[in-house]
């Protein structure tokens, strides 16, 4: 017996739920790639992507996923043999660094771990010790989707400045852009990258990069530049140069709609919505944790992200059994543990096109699964989430 017939719900941290309006906006014939409307669309999207990153710098749109945008950002500012510093706080900055290593860049990892945020003081100390300025860039993820941590990019930018170091600050915002504040210029970030399929509610396939003036200066001498990713080519006058070939028309139609939805809601409201729903998840997990079988991966409450929560399972309880129950019996697909958390955790996504019933429904299904599988847990996690939302969201 199951209770899964009905709309399936995908609660994994990307790709996320695509709004029907976005899907509908994509459902149309192809258009001419050399005339009016598409040129205006590109213009509006490049402006709005820069607006999302909060920068007066340049934005670039690639036909790529996050891994592609990683490569785009690296090739444009680095040369073979350059050294970079990767700030570890999960899987993703390290993965970005691994791309750089395979491109011939020397990679040093500032050791962190899966259960906490990057410590800005350690970044400052490491950069201060780099007397000769051999480190050309510092790579960090704003939210690491594997650990569920949020890093304080403003403080890390401050640390780079305090160390009086010239390294470019490069930030991965794939799991945070559109979901929480990001202020590229104010935080002294030189290169930021993201993707379409998480907070931006659009199917996978678009990668975004933004570059500060300083990054574009460094770009002029970068040795790893290749034709497809190259910023200079993409700054050309011709429309086809913006995409180094045929534009991803339908993804652009979808993205336009998604950004319209986001701006209609208001970015500040969208950030607050994420905060409220994330806290609802944390309230529930906090109660369930009283049973000692599950708990937060991120130890410090203030370091838990507003887009994804990683929940550890211990005491011999199998997170895959929980996920299977939620999916097969109730129609909710949760994220699995990745990296060091593989086989040890579930991840609950709360990013992008999510609202109270989606999150409360997901939490309810998890609580049903905890009971059905006899996994010890504090009772009333969902009630705590309800109480939290009821207290915060007033008529
Ligand atoms: C998902 C994700 C990526 C990778 O994106 P892909 O589109 O899967 O290549 C990179 N960084 C972060 C923080 C992510 O969450």
């Amino acid at each position: 017996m199951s209770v899964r017939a009905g709309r399936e719900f995908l609660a994994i941290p990307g790709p996320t739920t695509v709004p029907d309006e976005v899907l509908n906006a994509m459902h149309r014939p192809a258009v001419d790639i050399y005339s009016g409307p598409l040129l205006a669309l590109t213009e509006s999207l490049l402006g709005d992507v820069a607006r999302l990153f909060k920068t007066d710098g340049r934005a670039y749109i690639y036909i790529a996923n996050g891994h592609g945008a990683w490569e785009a950002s690296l090739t444009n500012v680095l040369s073979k043999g350059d050294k970079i510093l990767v700030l570890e706080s999960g899987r993703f900055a390290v993965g970005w660094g691994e791309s750089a290593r395979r491109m011939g860049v020397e990679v040093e990892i500032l050791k962190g771990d899966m259960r906490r945020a990057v410590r800005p003081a350690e970044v400052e100390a490491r950069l201060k010790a780099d007397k000769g300025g051999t480190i050309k860039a510092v790579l960090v993820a704003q939210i690491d989707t594997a650990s569920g941590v949020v890093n304080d990019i403003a403080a890390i930018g401050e640390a780079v400045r305090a160390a009086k170091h010239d390294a470019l600050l490069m930030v991965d915002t794939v799991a945070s852009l559109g979901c929480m504040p990001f202020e590229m210029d104010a935080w002294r970030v030189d290169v930021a990258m993201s993707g379409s399929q998480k907070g931006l509610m659009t199917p996978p396939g678009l990668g975004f990069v933004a570059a500060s003036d300083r990054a574009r200066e460094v770009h002029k001498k970068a040795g790893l530049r290749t034709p497809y990713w190259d910023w200079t080519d993409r700054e050309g006058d011709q429309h086809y140069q913006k995409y180094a070939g045929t534009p991803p028309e339908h993804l652009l139609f979808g993205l336009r709609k998604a950004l319209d939805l986001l701006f209609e809601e208001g970015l500040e409201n969208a950030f607050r919505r994420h905060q409220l729903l994330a806290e609802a998840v944390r309230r529930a997990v906090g109660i369930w944790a009283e049973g000692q079988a599950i708990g937060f991966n991120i130890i410090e409450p203030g370091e838990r992200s507003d887009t994804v929560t990683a929940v550890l399972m211990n005491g011999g309880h199998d997170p895959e059994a929980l996920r299977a129950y939620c999916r097969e019996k109730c129609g909710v697909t949760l994220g699995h543990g990745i990296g060091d958390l593989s086989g040890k955790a579930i991840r609950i996504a709360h990013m992008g096109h999510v609202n109270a019933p989606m999150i409360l429904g997901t939490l309810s299904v998890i609580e049903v699964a905890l009971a059905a599988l006899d996994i010890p847990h504090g009772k009333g996690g969902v009630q705590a989430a309800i109480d939290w939302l009821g207290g915060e969201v007033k008529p």
Side-chain angles (χ1 to χ4, degrees):
M1 184 54 212
S2 86
V3 288
R4 74 175 286 179
R7 182 174 280 228
E8 296 276 325
F9 183 59
L10 191 61
I12 65 172
T16 62
T17 299
V18 180
D20 291 343
E21 295 96 316
V22 172
L23 291 173
N24 291 337
M26 298 174 68
H27 193 86
R28 52 177 288 194
V31 299
D32 180 18
I33 59 174
Y34 300 107
S35 64
L38 199 64
L39 276 53
L41 178 61
T42 291
E43 192 75 6
S44 82
L45 289 174
L46 288 173
D48 283 342
V49 169
R51 175 176 165 198
L52 279 179
F53 282 119
K54 279 228 173 178
T55 182
D56 293 332
R58 283 273 195 159
Y60 309 89
I61 299 174
Y62 296 93
I63 305 176
N65 59 14
H67 283 68
W70 277 349
E71 204 162 313
S73 61
L74 297 167
T75 58
N76 272 293
V77 293
L78 296 174
S79 299
K80 225 180 186 55
D82 277 356
K83 178 171 176 170
I84 62 171
L85 183 67
V86 169
L87 311 183
E88 182 184 21
S89 63
R91 259 306 302 146
F92 285 91
V94 174
W96 193 5
E98 180 59 17
S99 298
R101 194 188 62 74
R102 291 185 56 183
M103 290 156 67
V105 170
E106 188 189 332
V107 178
E108 176 181 327
I109 294 178
L110 185 71
K111 202 73 194 110
D113 67 58
M114 276 310 266
R115 305 203 61 187
R116 66 166 174 90
V118 170
R119 293 179 181 142
E122 293 178 1
V123 178
E124 184 180 337
R126 178 63 193 93
L127 291 178
K128 273 186 172 154
D130 182 39
K131 298 285 184 231
T134 57
I135 295 170
K136 299 298 176 209
V138 175
L139 271 53
V140 63
Q142 186 176 26
I143 289 178
D144 190 294
T145 326
S147 62
V149 83
V150 59
N151 286 308
D152 185 344
I153 303 302
I156 292 168
E158 215 28 73
V160 176
R161 198 178 340 217
K164 300 190 169 55
H165 199 289
D166 279 342
L168 295 174
L169 178 57
M170 302 178 63
V171 182
D172 174 335
T173 69
V174 177
S176 52
L177 196 69
C179 307
M180 65 170 289
F182 182 76
E183 309 217 359
M184 178 157 166
D185 294 353
W187 297 348
R188 195 211 162 277
V189 173
D190 296 293
V191 180
M193 52 72 57
S194 198
S196 52
Q197 81 277 22
K198 296 191 184 176
L200 300 183
M201 309 178 288
T202 302
L206 295 178
F208 310 113
V209 177
S212 69
D213 289 345
R214 212 162 74 88
R216 288 171 67 222
E217 263 317 296
V218 171
H219 162 77
K220 290 180 184 160
K221 299 198 193 90
L224 285 171
R225 290 164 57 174
T226 58
Y228 184 72
W229 305 120
D230 199 286
W231 291 343
T232 300
D233 290 341
R234 282 168 185 257
E235 287 168 16
D237 292 338
Q238 299 300 310
H239 186 247
Y240 76 86
Q241 292 179 290
K242 306 288 176 206
Y243 304 97
T246 306
E249 298 185 331
H250 292 80
L251 285 169
L252 301 177
F253 300 146
L255 180 67
R256 182 65 270 158
K257 190 63 192 177
L259 297 189
D260 288 346
L261 291 174
L262 200 54
F263 293 141
E264 246 165 62
E265 178 183 10
L267 284 178
E268 292 303 321
N269 285 333
F271 299 161
R272 180 71 181 138
R273 170 170 55 85
H274 279 85
Q275 226 174 34
L276 288 166
L277 295 173
E279 184 58 25
V281 171
R282 293 188 285 260
R283 296 284 164 127
V285 174
I287 297 289
W288 297 335
E290 290 167 5
Q292 310 288 322
I294 65 175
F296 291 103
N297 175 54
I298 297 301
I299 296 165
E300 277 298 321
E303 296 179 353
R304 294 172 190 152
S305 84
D306 284 339
T307 61
V308 58
T309 299
V311 180
L312 289 179
M313 295 186 71
N314 48 42
H317 298 286
D318 179 10
E320 289 314 303
L322 180 80
R323 289 183 63 243
Y325 183 96
C326 291
R327 186 177 61 247
E328 285 154 27
K329 297 293 184 181
C330 302
V332 171
T333 302
L334 298 169
H336 62 293
I338 59 172
D340 291 351
L341 302 191
S342 179
K344 299 179 189 159
I346 59 164
R347 290 178 303 152
I348 308 167
H350 29 89
M351 70 174 89
H353 191 59
V354 286
N355 61 14
M358 292 154 110
I359 295 302
L360 291 174
T362 298
L363 295 173
S364 301
V365 161
I366 296 171
E367 200 159 320
V368 169
L370 290 170
L373 297 171
D374 282 324
I375 297 172
H377 62 285
K379 301 276 180 224
V382 172
Q383 188 61 53
I386 290 169
D387 292 347
W388 158 255
L389 285 180
E392 293 292 318
V393 183
K394 290 302 184 188

